Amino acid sequence: MDLYFHTDLEPDVTNLEEEESRHLIKVLRKKEGDTFRLTNGKGMICKATILTANPKRCEVALSERETQQAPPPMALAIAPTKNMDRIEWLTEKAVEIGVEALYFFDSEHSERRVLKTDRLERKALSAMKQSLTAFLPRIEGLMSYEEMLEKAASYKGKYIAWIDEDVHDHLFDIADFEHSCIVLIGPEGDFTPEEVEKAKGAGITPVSLGNKRLRTETAALAALHTLSLLNR
């Protein structure tokens, strides 16, 4: 059954926003009495029954509420690429895999110094509904590298992916996902040695993602997939 989004699932009767109403009534041609599922993006899912099939303000009755158990926090911190399409693609795939938070930061070799998150948030919402999950990730950006290190401090497992011949430990072999985990991914030109030293000083462990040189968004997806395998 399709999944739709509404922020407040507490009332017995509520009205959907126009975008969701239009898709239900105009695109899917749902009628009064038809049912579907709603989530608030915070773990709750409920059954919704259409009372008034209005494409601008669909009225629904809510019932059969249930709350999904939240997975351990799995976060990604990344220096955004110059190509916005690649950032949007990564956001979609990260949500499908199950990321809890997406942080964007400015690195010395960054090619993008401005990032608007409006479209990314819409992409995340769409991906959440498509993958039938009940948790909408937090998206924050663009922050300084030092601010990112402060964010990372709250996670138990903290890793920075770095292409260096002295880094041999693969993320899969050393990641600790008992409580929470975050991986930092650098820009196309990678982190500078100074940035890696700052990360190590903040308790973040350098890791390898394999012996191939990956694009920024590919490395990010590889890291998240690795963590998701550890969190099965």
Side-chain angles (χ1 to χ4, degrees):
M1 188 182 293
D2 290 337
L3 187 63
Y4 290 82
F5 177 73
H6 192 59
T7 55
D8 186 4
L9 302 186
E10 295 301 327
D12 292 329
V13 176
T14 190
N15 294 297
L16 303 183
E17 297 295 331
E18 183 172 350
E19 182 176 350
E20 299 286 56
S21 298
R22 183 175 61 252
H23 191 264
L24 278 166
I25 308 307
K26 289 290 189 180
V27 179
L28 298 183
R29 300 187 182 280
K30 296 285 188 181
K31 300 178 176 60
E32 293 177 6
D34 287 346
T35 61
F36 58 96
R37 293 193 302 165
L38 275 174
T39 181
N40 61 358
K42 298 178 181 179
M44 181 177 287
I45 291 180
C46 71
K47 177 182 175 182
T49 303
I50 297 177
L51 299 178
T52 304
N54 186 326
K56 291 189 176 181
R57 195 173 175 82
C58 185
E59 185 181 46
V60 297
L62 307 183
S63 61
E64 300 180 16
R65 295 172 180 83
E66 62 180 64
T67 301
Q68 291 186 354
Q69 181 178 357
M74 177 175 69
L76 174 69
I78 183 168
T81 61
K82 185 177 182 180
N83 188 323
M84 193 65 187
D85 289 342
R86 286 159 57 183
I87 304 174
E88 292 177 3
W89 178 88
L90 172 62
T91 298
E92 287 183 345
K93 304 313 170 189
V95 174
E96 290 174 19
I97 289 176
V99 73
E100 178 261 347
L102 270 171
Y103 303 111
F104 293 96
F105 63 88
D106 192 23
S107 178
E108 178 130 352
H109 292 159
S110 291
E111 292 188 305
R112 174 174 286 277
R113 304 293 180 178
V114 177
L115 180 68
K116 295 181 180 180
T117 60
D118 295 6
R119 279 182 58 84
L120 299 182
E121 289 166 356
R122 291 197 294 271
K123 291 288 185 181
L125 178 59
S126 177
M128 179 194 70
K129 294 189 292 183
Q130 188 275 331
S131 57
L132 303 180
T133 58
F135 291 93
L136 185 63
R138 184 170 68 260
I139 298 178
E140 296 187 28
L142 190 65
M143 64 188 75
S144 70
Y145 186 67
E146 287 70 26
E147 288 173 325
M148 184 62 258
L149 295 182
E150 292 178 8
K151 290 279 186 183
S154 63
Y155 292 84
K156 184 176 187 297
K158 300 179 282 290
Y159 308 97
I160 181 170
W162 192 34
I163 303 172
D164 186 89
E165 60 183 15
D166 293 329
V167 178
H168 303 291
D169 293 325
H170 195 283
L171 177 63
F172 185 85
D173 295 322
I174 66 171
D176 180 354
F177 209 156
E178 183 180 355
H179 299 294
S180 62
C181 203
I182 187 170
V183 178
L184 278 63
I185 303 293
E188 284 89 340
D190 206 0
F191 294 104
T192 64
E194 292 76 18
E195 286 174 328
V196 175
E197 287 303 313
K198 285 183 180 180
K200 290 165 66 176
I204 301 173
T205 304
V207 294
S208 168
L209 296 177
N211 57 9
K212 294 183 175 62
R213 178 169 293 183
L214 305 176
R215 285 181 178 270
T216 296
E217 71 276 13
T218 308
L221 202 60
L224 287 177
H225 183 247
T226 298
L227 294 179
S228 70
L229 289 176
L230 295 171
N231 189 39
R232 286 181 298 177

